[in-house]
Amino acid sequence: VEPADESEGGVRDDGAFSLVVDGYDAVYSGVAASPTFRQLWAEHAYGGPFPPDYAHISFLTLDELEAMAAYLGLGRDTVLADLACGAGGPGLWVAARSGCSVVGIDPSQAGLAAARQRADVAGLADRARYQAGTFSDTNLDDRSMAGVISIDAIQYAPDKRAVFSEVRRILGPGGRVAFSAFEVDPERVQGLPVLGVDPVDDYAALLEDAGFAIAWTRESDGWADRVSATFTAVTEAMPTLIDEMGDAAASSLGMEAALTLQFRPYRRRVVVAATAT
Ligand SMILES: C[S@@+](CC[C@H](N)C(=O)[O-])C[C@H]1O[C@@H](n2cnc3c(N)ncnc32)[C@H](O)[C@@H]1O
């Protein structure tokens, strides 16, 4: 598997993309060794039941994933793409429940390695594959997917329009996408790396322009409190996180925590379901 290019669909963002991927590589390598990270994430980020074998590092609740899976309506002999899959938990959960296969795409090699290991442990290796790619360059064939999910990552894409045209390209007509993502406040992210590169405060118009009919959009319950409680807990647990996860992972998390608490970059966290027309 080729490593993902550090440009995203030809859009270069002066090293910020590599910084993000290096940070995620460190975090995915450190999570397994950190009970404190897993505990604080479960308590604050999703604050409810979520099967630990399919845990994630985002703000996804089990209710949200159930609603997404119900909308996608996948079954055996269908393939789901999980874009920005990281360690692959949510996509594998859908595969386990529905019988579909899953292909996970992420630029982080450590995330992909963790996802492969997790698929093995869950007995799903024959229905799961993981390969390097980005939102705008998934390396997946035209019309090859029955469904697409993406959990809490689209806000990092340097070209949001390219994200939805790529999703439309890999889905056939009638194919469905369900994603969660943050919408940013453009004023608050002005000049920031990554979140400030292509700030989008409402995904609806981009989806419609790319050839999707939106079925529903839901603002995620309590997202703002969950985000601030999580990153406050990360900041307070920093010495323990450094011990358990190592410097690189803890400092990447610490940087995200500081930036999120200082700039309050997010306007909404949404869960969106749409069909390709
Ligand atoms: C908050 S994590 C979410 C991971 C996973 N979906 C989950 O729920 O645990 C964000 C993910 O986005 C990935 N990512 C960052 N920039 C990306 C890009 N331009 N294209 C695709 N994935 C990207 C990161 O490598 C990381 O795995």
Side-chain angles (χ1 to χ4, degrees), residues 18 26 29 71 75 141 195 199 205 257 261:
S18 323
S29 304
Y71 179 73
D141 290 341
L195 293 178
L261 294 171

Side-chain angles (χ1 to χ4, degrees), residues 8 17 24 28 56-58 84-86 106-107 134-135 151-153:
E8 229 251 39
F17 178 69
Y24 276 109
Y28 290 124
H56 54 72
I57 61 164
S58 59
C85 63
D106 200 283
T134 64
F135 277 118
I151 309 299
D152 290 4

Side-chain angles (χ1 to χ4, degrees), residues 33-237:
S34 181
T36 303
F37 174 86
R38 293 196 303 275
Q39 193 265 328
L40 76 79
W41 214 263
E43 183 178 343
H44 300 292
Y46 47 96
F50 200 97
D53 291 350
Y54 301 99
H56 54 72
I57 61 164
S58 59
F59 292 85
L60 182 72
T61 66
L62 188 57
D63 282 354
E64 289 170 347
L65 186 56
E66 280 171 345
M68 291 162 112
Y71 179 73
L72 292 171
L74 299 173
R76 284 177 197 287
D77 303 322
T78 63
V79 187
L80 168 71
D82 181 357
L83 303 186
C85 63
L92 280 170
W93 183 90
V94 177
R97 196 170 147 121
S98 70
C100 75
S101 298
V102 61
V103 51
I105 304 293
D106 200 283
S108 163
Q109 288 291 354
L112 297 170
R116 286 183 197 111
Q117 194 180 20
R118 186 173 257 181
D120 263 346
V121 171
L124 293 167
D126 57 334
R127 286 196 273 131
R129 69 188 158 95
Y130 294 94
Q131 55 193 60
T134 64
F135 277 118
S136 59
D137 196 0
T138 61
N139 300 307
L140 298 173
D141 290 341
D142 291 359
R143 297 183 297 281
S144 55
M145 299 292 132
V148 170
I149 59 167
S150 182
I151 309 299
D152 290 4
I154 290 174
Q155 67 276 0
Y156 299 130
D159 181 350
K160 275 49 169 199
R161 201 164 277 279
V163 174
F164 295 113
S165 74
E166 181 73 349
V167 174
R168 181 66 189 81
R169 182 185 70 74
I170 64 176
L171 282 173
R176 292 182 166 193
V177 57
F179 68 88
S180 61
F182 288 94
E183 295 172 337
V184 299
D185 179 325
E187 278 183 20
R188 288 190 227 147
V189 298
Q190 207 174 19
L192 289 184
V194 187
L195 293 178
V197 171
D198 179 23
V200 169
D201 62 1
D202 186 349
Y203 294 114
L206 291 182
L207 273 161
E208 279 155 14
D209 289 353
F212 288 94
I214 296 175
W216 44 261
T217 299
R218 296 177 189 161
E219 183 160 348
S220 170
D221 287 344
W223 68 268
D225 289 344
R226 290 192 281 127
V227 168
S228 75
T230 302
F231 287 123
T232 301
V234 163
T235 309
E236 288 170 358

